[in-house]
Amino acid sequence: MLAGKIMLESGAETYRVENTMNRIAAAFGLDNAQSYATPTGINFSADFADVTNFTRIENRSTDLHKIAEVNSISRDITAGNVTINQALARLNNVDKKQLTFPYWVQIMAAAFVSGSFSFMFGGDWPDFIPAFLAGGIGYAVMLGAARLIEINFIAHFVASLFIGLLSMLFIATDFGMHLDKIIIGAVMPLVPGLHITNAVRDLMAGHLVAGVSKGVESVLTAFAIGAGIAVVFAF
């Protein structure tokens, strides 16, 4: 359950979480283990009629490094290279680690991604710097809003609102050429691409509840981004 909890909190697909939990259980002699994961919780039972354990998932982010670490531990368990106590100690160590990049690195990466996307979507070189600045500042606003407000959609709405304002300010001062290309590039780091991909993969794997819930979350996030830009154009 700890392995599943780490993976769900790090953005893994639910079918991958269940498969990992079942493999770990089978490696330690639980032949009829029952696992059921949703984006907000995990149910696990050692047998069909055994006591069911439940873990609530409250915080979800994207940390592919932690997912890779858990997969590595799972392979070692399946191969019989670690004992149950060693595996638990390694999982606890992964759970406590802060493996995400510092905020300033994330902001700089978002800025470069924004500038590159503005050029890729048909903008010119004069649009690179405005998109670079708008995307970096917008992503920083999103991180700050997410720390103050735990509602993810509001954080994305506020960030896109700032991106729209900055983009229009840049165009008004002749800093950049194409408003649409600057905005498109700047909002790309906010787009929930991983959630959309996971939703489709869960649906294809038959996990309808998880797939639909992740899909709805992605649509709401995309709506919040579009609404923030629309508010700027409306006023």
Side-chain angles (χ1 to χ4, degrees), residues 40-123:
T40 56
I42 298 174
N43 289 284
F44 179 80
S45 176
D47 206 337
F48 292 107
D50 209 336
V51 176
T52 298
N53 301 277
F54 175 78
T55 295
R56 173 78 174 174
I57 306 299
E58 297 181 353
N59 300 314
R60 298 190 304 276
S61 61
T62 302
D63 194 335
L64 301 182
H65 191 177
K66 280 193 175 183
I67 297 175
E69 290 282 340
V70 174
N71 284 336
S72 176
I73 296 171
S74 174
R75 295 188 192 97
D76 287 340
I77 292 173
T78 304
N81 296 330
V82 294
T83 65
I84 189 169
N85 290 328
Q86 291 173 334
L88 180 60
R90 289 176 61 182
L91 286 172
N92 278 320
N93 186 40
V94 173
D95 190 29
K96 295 175 183 176
K97 281 183 178 179
Q98 295 293 332
L99 299 179
T100 54
F101 290 103
Y103 285 151
W104 70 269
V105 175
Q106 297 181 43
I107 293 169
M108 288 301 299
F112 277 106
V113 165
S114 300
S116 301
F117 268 114
S118 69
F119 189 74
M120 190 186 77
F121 282 115

Side-chain angles (χ1 to χ4, degrees), residues 14-212:
T14 52
Y15 79 87
R16 185 188 300 274
V17 172
E18 292 182 0
N19 183 57
T20 300
M21 293 173 64
N22 291 335
R23 286 177 180 273
I24 293 175
F28 289 126
L30 301 178
D31 296 327
N32 296 318
Q34 303 296 309
S35 62
Y36 177 70
T38 69
T40 56
I42 298 174
N43 289 284
F44 179 80
S45 176
D47 206 337
F48 292 107
D50 209 336
V51 176
T52 298
N53 301 277
F54 175 78
T55 295
R56 173 78 174 174
I57 306 299
E58 297 181 353
N59 300 314
R60 298 190 304 276
S61 61
T62 302
D63 194 335
L64 301 182
H65 191 177
K66 280 193 175 183
I67 297 175
E69 290 282 340
V70 174
N71 284 336
S72 176
I73 296 171
S74 174
R75 295 188 192 97
D76 287 340
I77 292 173
T78 304
N81 296 330
V82 294
T83 65
I84 189 169
N85 290 328
Q86 291 173 334
L88 180 60
R90 289 176 61 182
L91 286 172
N92 278 320
N93 186 40
V94 173
D95 190 29
K96 295 175 183 176
K97 281 183 178 179
Q98 295 293 332
L99 299 179
T100 54
F101 290 103
Y103 285 151
W104 70 269
V105 175
Q106 297 181 43
I107 293 169
M108 288 301 299
F112 277 106
V113 165
S114 300
S116 301
F117 268 114
S118 69
F119 189 74
M120 190 186 77
F121 282 115
D124 295 320
W125 282 112
D127 299 320
F128 181 89
I129 298 300
F132 177 94
L133 295 174
I137 295 173
Y139 196 82
V141 170
M142 189 270 290
L143 292 176
R147 296 187 65 179
L148 296 175
I149 306 171
E150 294 185 358
I151 302 176
N152 187 46
F153 313 115
I154 295 180
H156 281 76
F157 173 81
V158 174
S160 62
L161 185 67
F162 270 83
I163 288 173
L165 289 172
L166 288 171
S167 299
M168 295 193 74
L169 177 63
F170 291 148
I171 293 296
T173 56
D174 293 328
F175 186 44
M177 295 180 60
H178 303 94
L179 177 62
D180 55 339
K181 303 302 188 295
I182 295 173
I183 292 177
I184 291 172
V187 300
M188 285 306 294
L190 306 179
V191 174
L194 179 64
H195 294 293
I196 296 173
T197 303
N198 286 350
V200 173
R201 295 183 69 175
D202 280 333
L203 286 172
M204 293 179 66
H207 292 255
L208 302 181
V209 174
V212 171

